[in-house]
């Protein structure tokens, strides 16, 4: 099983550029999440989705947008990249059952210069 | 609202000695709790989880944690540290809509 797949693994952006971080899961999970991890810190929730067509803001949504047109895909859009968005981004999915856990992608390391 | 506090930002132990990483949680209902490990420049790996079954939870690589409701704690332990255990450890509580709330992390250093 592929699990949660994120692309790209690394990216360097110039200030003001835009990009989309891709996230795909093949486990038919309804719940999907985007987190960012700044150096020496824990993960903070950017956006999440409880099913296709439904998204909501997390703790740090400013500067980002998401969409969820299918169960499998949950892309994260950065508009007008800023140095403050330099971070490692993790996508996760969850089956939404009390005795299970979330599955994480391997992360995307983004640098804005 | 749910939250977690990892009481130590850094823990240093000698190889072969016990490991204790401390975590306290806050939750308005019976929580689901997790410990994740992250090796340098790597992704997150689940060590163990508590989801309201047995209070003593055994995980991978010899780690275990005990859920203590009276103390609102979920400390991670290992009897004997190995060099390969050096990493960042995150205590995590599950909130509404299955969102994960991360602690700030504890960096474990293992001295030879």
């Amino acid at each position: 099983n592929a699990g949660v797949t994120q692309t790209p693994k690394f990216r360097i952006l110039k200030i003001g550029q835009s990009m989309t971080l891709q996230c795909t899961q093949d486990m038919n999970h309804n719940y999907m999440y985007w987190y960012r991890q700044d150096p020496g810190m824990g993960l903070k929730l950017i956006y999440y989705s409880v099913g296709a067509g439904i998204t909501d803001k997390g703790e740090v949504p400013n500067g980002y947008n998401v969409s969820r047109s299918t169960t499998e895909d949950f892309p994260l859009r950065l508009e007008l990249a800023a140095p403050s968005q330099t971070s490692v981004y993790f996508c996760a999915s969850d089956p939404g059952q009390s005795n299970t856990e979330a599955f994480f992608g391997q992360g995307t390391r983004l640098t804005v210069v | 609202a749910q939250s977690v506090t990892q009481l130590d930002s850094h823990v240093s132990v000698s190889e072969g000695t016990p490991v204790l990483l401390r975590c306290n949680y806050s939750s308005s209902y019976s929580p689901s709790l997790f410990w994740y490990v992250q090796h340098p420049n790597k992704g997150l790996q689940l060590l163990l989880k508590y989801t309201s079954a047995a209070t003593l939870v055994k995980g991978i690589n010899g780690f275990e944690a005990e859920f203590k409701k009276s103390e609102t704690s979920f400390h991670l332990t290992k009897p004997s540290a190995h060099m390969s255990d050096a990493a960042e450890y995150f205590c995590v509580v599950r909130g509404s809509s299955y969102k994960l709330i991360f602690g700030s992390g504890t960096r474990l250093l293992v001295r030879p």
Side-chain angles (χ1 to χ4, degrees), chain A residues 34-96:
Chain A
W34 275 106
Y35 295 88
R36 62 176 284 173
Q37 183 180 27
D38 298 328
M41 304 291 287
L43 277 66
K44 293 188 185 300
L45 183 64
I46 305 171
Y47 269 95
Y48 69 101
S49 169
V50 301
I54 306 170
T55 62
D56 206 349
K57 296 177 181 179
E59 189 180 359
V60 289
N62 291 344
Y64 307 94
N65 277 301
V66 294
S67 60
R68 184 92 182 273
S69 57
T70 66
T71 298
E72 295 78 18
D73 300 309
F74 190 42
L76 178 71
R77 178 82 177 161
L78 278 72
E79 304 282 2
L80 298 175
S84 61
Q85 294 178 304
T86 294
S87 191
V88 181
Y89 292 83
F90 288 97
C91 179
S93 71
D94 196 307

Side-chain angles (χ1 to χ4, degrees), chain A residues 33 35 37 96 99-101, chain B residues 38 41 49 94 97-98 100:
Chain A
Y33 310 86
Y35 295 88
Q37 183 180 27
N99 61 342
T100 60
E101 70 272 11
Chain B
Q38 186 178 36
N41 298 313
K49 64 183 178 185
R94 176 183 270 162
S97 298
Y98 295 88
L100 297 181

Side-chain angles (χ1 to χ4, degrees), chain B:
Chain B
Q2 288 76 34
S3 65
V4 288
T5 301
Q6 292 185 243
L7 300 170
D8 307 290
S9 59
H10 293 81
V11 169
S12 181
V13 301
S14 297
E15 190 175 21
T17 64
V19 175
L20 170 64
L21 305 184
R22 299 182 295 164
C23 173
N24 287 123
Y25 71 90
S26 173
S27 178
S28 54
Y29 51 84
S30 184
S32 293
L33 292 158
F34 308 83
W35 276 99
Y36 283 86
V37 61
Q38 186 178 36
H39 288 92
N41 298 313
K42 298 291 186 184
L44 294 157
Q45 182 181 20
L46 179 69
L47 277 178
L48 49 80
K49 64 183 178 185
Y50 167 77
T51 57
S52 70
T55 56
L56 182 61
V57 181
K58 294 188 184 299
I60 62 172
N61 300 335
F63 284 95
E64 62 181 39
E66 186 171 7
F67 173 72
K68 291 188 176 180
K69 186 175 181 179
S70 60
E71 298 176 11
T72 61
S73 69
F74 190 57
H75 301 336
L76 182 70
T77 61
K78 183 174 180 177
S80 177
H82 191 274
M83 295 298 292
S84 61
D85 294 327
E88 189 88 19
Y89 291 79
F90 293 101
C91 182
V92 181
V93 66
R94 176 183 270 162
S96 61
S97 298
Y98 295 88
K99 292 177 285 188
L100 297 181
I101 298 147
F102 282 74
S104 55
T106 298
R107 183 169 298 277
L108 176 65
L109 306 172
V110 182
R111 303 185 302 272

